Amino acid sequence: MTVPDSRLAAGDGRIHASAEIHPTAIVAAGATIGPDCRIGPFSQVGAAAVLEAGVSVGPHVVIEGHAHLGEGVQLSHGASIGLAPQDLKYKGEPTRTVIGARTMVREHATIHRGSVGGHGITTVGADCLIMVNAHVGHDCTLDHHVILANNVMLGGHVQIADTVFVGGGAALHQFVRIGRQSVIGGMSGVEADVIPFGAVLGNRARLTGLNLIGLKRRGFSRADIHQLRAVYRLLFRGAGVFQHRLAQAEAEYGAQPAVQEILAFIRGDSKRGLCRARRVAPLEEDDAEAQA
């Protein structure tokens, strides 16, 4: 995602004439409030904040630090944006929070700013939905169209690619990577990286297959899905050394872009290792194949 220039995040003290600010709200000198913004009762906006056009801030919201909210962002009652990271090494450095256009942050959700020990920035992409009581830790990177259901907990430095759904109450360990268009089952504890298009469940979470519903909704053909399932079974159900199976998957199926994406993800930089498949009975696997 494109991150706004850091100079903009300092704010230049402009409040557009069309902005609606409740009399009980506190907007610090230096904040930049764009056209058609609305700031609800008892909310607080810090001096270094930038709110682009059409941002809606509900009651009792707190926006602190160098926070940049894109056009049309909606913050519901009690949300907290840009507060200091929960990192004992943090000493008040001017790190940042960026939220992309049209993202919705629901009641009492929290998004902490970055840390010097990480990227120095926490980013949430466009068109995301952060549901009630979810927490996005410092230095996390969420791409576009990500959904975090109620009470999801992201440790610091988590990376989530486009169009990922994380079920309610799931907890993601710091530094975990979540591949594009994957799904995390509710109440799962995710300690390792999840491949693109994967589905995981459990405490501790294990791969249960592919996100078949998501693949169908996004226009993958039946042939493409069957090919992805063949790659999945080769990599995570096959016998022998994993690196040999990885090479075989590339040789047999590497021409398909989605397969290329999975292989590149597996070979990418990881601090947590790869989430592996749980054992399934043959009948269960056959049923899943039929549903594809």
Side-chain angles (χ1 to χ4, degrees):
M1 63 174 292
T2 301
V3 175
D5 190 291
S6 59
R7 292 169 296 180
L8 295 177
D12 57 11
R14 295 179 299 178
I15 299 180
H16 196 275
S18 63
E20 299 180 12
I21 302 175
H22 193 275
T24 61
I26 299 174
V27 177
T32 299
I33 311 297
D36 302 315
C37 288
R38 294 178 296 166
I39 300 176
F42 303 105
S43 288
Q44 301 180 43
V45 180
V50 174
L51 279 60
E52 295 189 12
V55 170
S56 175
V57 178
H60 297 280
V61 170
V62 176
I63 304 172
E64 286 188 1
H66 293 72
H68 192 124
L69 277 59
E71 184 174 352
V73 166
Q74 298 180 43
L75 307 180
S76 294
H77 184 110
S80 297
I81 308 298
L83 276 68
Q86 297 177 127
D87 182 347
L88 294 176
K89 299 184 295 297
Y90 181 73
K91 304 301 180 186
E93 298 89 351
T95 54
R96 306 173 58 207
T97 310
V98 173
I99 301 178
R102 299 172 301 280
T103 284
M104 298 176 61
V105 182
R106 294 300 303 266
E107 297 89 325
H108 305 289
T110 55
I111 302 174
H112 287 176
R113 61 181 178 260
S115 69
V116 171
H119 307 294
I121 181 170
T122 300
T123 58
V124 176
D127 300 296
C128 295
L129 173 57
I130 313 299
M131 294 190 194
V132 173
N133 285 330
H135 172 67
V136 179
H138 61 85
D139 302 289
C140 286
T141 301
L142 280 62
D143 287 344
H144 309 306
H145 302 281
V146 172
I147 298 176
L148 306 183
N150 295 355
N151 302 304
V152 165
M153 298 171 285
L154 304 185
H157 312 274
V158 168
Q159 300 177 41
I160 301 182
D162 288 344
T163 327
V164 168
F165 175 81
V166 184
L172 277 60
H173 195 286
Q174 58 263 36
F175 293 102
V176 157
R177 298 181 303 147
I178 308 297
R180 182 171 72 93
Q181 206 171 302
S182 56
V183 58
I184 312 298
M187 303 298 291
S188 293
V190 183
E191 296 181 311
D193 299 346
V194 177
I195 60 169
F197 318 110
V200 302
L201 181 66
N203 185 10
R204 297 307 194 227
R206 292 292 182 266
L207 280 166
T208 60
L210 297 176
N211 180 12
L212 298 177
I213 293 176
L215 289 169
K216 292 174 183 177
R217 285 177 176 172
R218 288 166 183 85
F220 281 72
S221 69
R222 187 179 184 87
D224 286 342
I225 292 174
H226 281 184
Q227 192 171 57
L228 284 172
R229 282 197 57 81
V231 171
Y232 175 85
R233 295 179 69 171
L234 172 60
L235 290 175
F236 297 104
R237 304 274 187 232
V241 178
F242 183 75
Q243 291 300 325
H244 295 169
R245 302 201 304 272
L246 194 63
Q248 182 182 348
E250 183 164 30
E252 295 184 13
Y253 305 102
Q256 194 204 67
V259 174
Q260 293 175 7
E261 183 175 347
I262 293 173
L263 299 179
F265 180 90
I266 292 172
R267 291 175 171 141
D269 183 26
S270 175
K271 298 181 183 298
R272 297 297 306 168
L274 193 64
C275 187
R276 300 303 179 97
R278 67 179 177 87
R279 295 182 180 276
V280 297
L283 180 59
E284 182 179 348
E285 189 168 357
D286 291 342
D287 288 345
E289 178 74 29
Q291 292 173 15

